[in-house]
PDB file of all heavy atoms in Angstrom:
ATOM      1  N   VAL A  40      86.131  37.462 101.938  1.00  0.00           N
ATOM      2  CA  VAL A  40      87.389  36.736 102.135  1.00  0.00           C
ATOM      3  C   VAL A  40      87.497  36.189 103.560  1.00  0.00           C
ATOM      4  O   VAL A  40      87.006  36.801 104.506  1.00  0.00           O
ATOM      5  CB  VAL A  40      88.618  37.631 101.822  1.00  0.00           C
ATOM      6  CG1 VAL A  40      88.647  38.029 100.361  1.00  0.00           C
ATOM      7  CG2 VAL A  40      88.661  38.881 102.694  1.00  0.00           C
ATOM      8  N   VAL A 108      86.303  44.484 107.921  1.00  0.00           N
ATOM      9  CA  VAL A 108      86.678  43.217 108.548  1.00  0.00           C
ATOM     10  C   VAL A 108      85.930  43.131 109.876  1.00  0.00           C
ATOM     11  O   VAL A 108      85.877  44.119 110.628  1.00  0.00           O
ATOM     12  CB  VAL A 108      88.206  43.140 108.802  1.00  0.00           C
ATOM     13  CG1 VAL A 108      88.570  41.831 109.495  1.00  0.00           C
ATOM     14  CG2 VAL A 108      88.989  43.285 107.499  1.00  0.00           C
ATOM     15  N   ASP A 140      89.833  50.524  92.119  1.00  0.00           N
ATOM     16  CA  ASP A 140      89.112  50.634  93.386  1.00  0.00           C
ATOM     17  C   ASP A 140      90.117  51.142  94.418  1.00  0.00           C
ATOM     18  O   ASP A 140      91.175  50.542  94.613  1.00  0.00           O
ATOM     19  CB  ASP A 140      88.574  49.252  93.784  1.00  0.00           C
ATOM     20  CG  ASP A 140      87.761  49.290  95.074  1.00  0.00           C
ATOM     21  OD1 ASP A 140      87.719  50.349  95.734  1.00  0.00           O
ATOM     22  OD2 ASP A 140      87.189  48.246  95.435  1.00  0.00           O
ATOM     23  N   ASP A 198      77.721  75.798 108.372  1.00  0.00           N
ATOM     24  CA  ASP A 198      77.676  77.275 108.360  1.00  0.00           C
ATOM     25  C   ASP A 198      76.699  77.769 107.291  1.00  0.00           C
ATOM     26  O   ASP A 198      75.925  78.697 107.511  1.00  0.00           O
ATOM     27  CB  ASP A 198      79.071  77.857 108.067  1.00  0.00           C
ATOM     28  CG  ASP A 198      80.047  77.661 109.223  1.00  0.00           C
ATOM     29  OD1 ASP A 198      79.597  77.379 110.343  1.00  0.00           O
ATOM     30  OD2 ASP A 198      81.265  77.787 108.994  1.00  0.00           O
ATOM     31  N   ASN A 234      80.232  81.128 117.302  1.00  0.00           N
ATOM     32  CA  ASN A 234      78.823  80.958 116.930  1.00  0.00           C
ATOM     33  C   ASN A 234      78.222  79.669 117.485  1.00  0.00           C
ATOM     34  O   ASN A 234      77.014  79.473 117.441  1.00  0.00           O
ATOM     35  CB  ASN A 234      78.668  80.944 115.407  1.00  0.00           C
ATOM     36  CG  ASN A 234      78.937  82.309 114.818  1.00  0.00           C
ATOM     37  OD1 ASN A 234      78.448  83.310 115.347  1.00  0.00           O
ATOM     38  ND2 ASN A 234      79.723  82.352 113.759  1.00  0.00           N
ATOM     39  N   VAL A 337      67.548  68.153 108.053  1.00  0.00           N
ATOM     40  CA  VAL A 337      68.617  67.143 108.127  1.00  0.00           C
ATOM     41  C   VAL A 337      69.580  67.364 106.964  1.00  0.00           C
ATOM     42  O   VAL A 337      69.172  67.298 105.802  1.00  0.00           O
ATOM     43  CB  VAL A 337      68.037  65.714 108.062  1.00  0.00           C
ATOM     44  CG1 VAL A 337      69.162  64.680 108.141  1.00  0.00           C
ATOM     45  CG2 VAL A 337      67.020  65.479 109.160  1.00  0.00           C
ATOM     46  N   GLN A 392      60.467  70.342  95.577  1.00  0.00           N
ATOM     47  CA  GLN A 392      59.693  70.605  96.792  1.00  0.00           C
ATOM     48  C   GLN A 392      59.795  69.447  97.776  1.00  0.00           C
ATOM     49  O   GLN A 392      58.781  68.842  98.161  1.00  0.00           O
ATOM     50  CB  GLN A 392      58.240  70.884  96.432  1.00  0.00           C
ATOM     51  CG  GLN A 392      58.152  72.112  95.557  1.00  0.00           C
ATOM     52  CD  GLN A 392      56.729  72.554  95.299  1.00  0.00           C
ATOM     53  OE1 GLN A 392      55.808  71.768  95.404  1.00  0.00           O
ATOM     54  NE2 GLN A 392      56.570  73.806  94.979  1.00  0.00           N
TER      55      GLN A 392
END
Side-chain angles (χ1 to χ4, degrees):
V40 296
V108 178
D140 182 353
D198 290 343
N234 290 315
V337 180
Q392 298 187 337

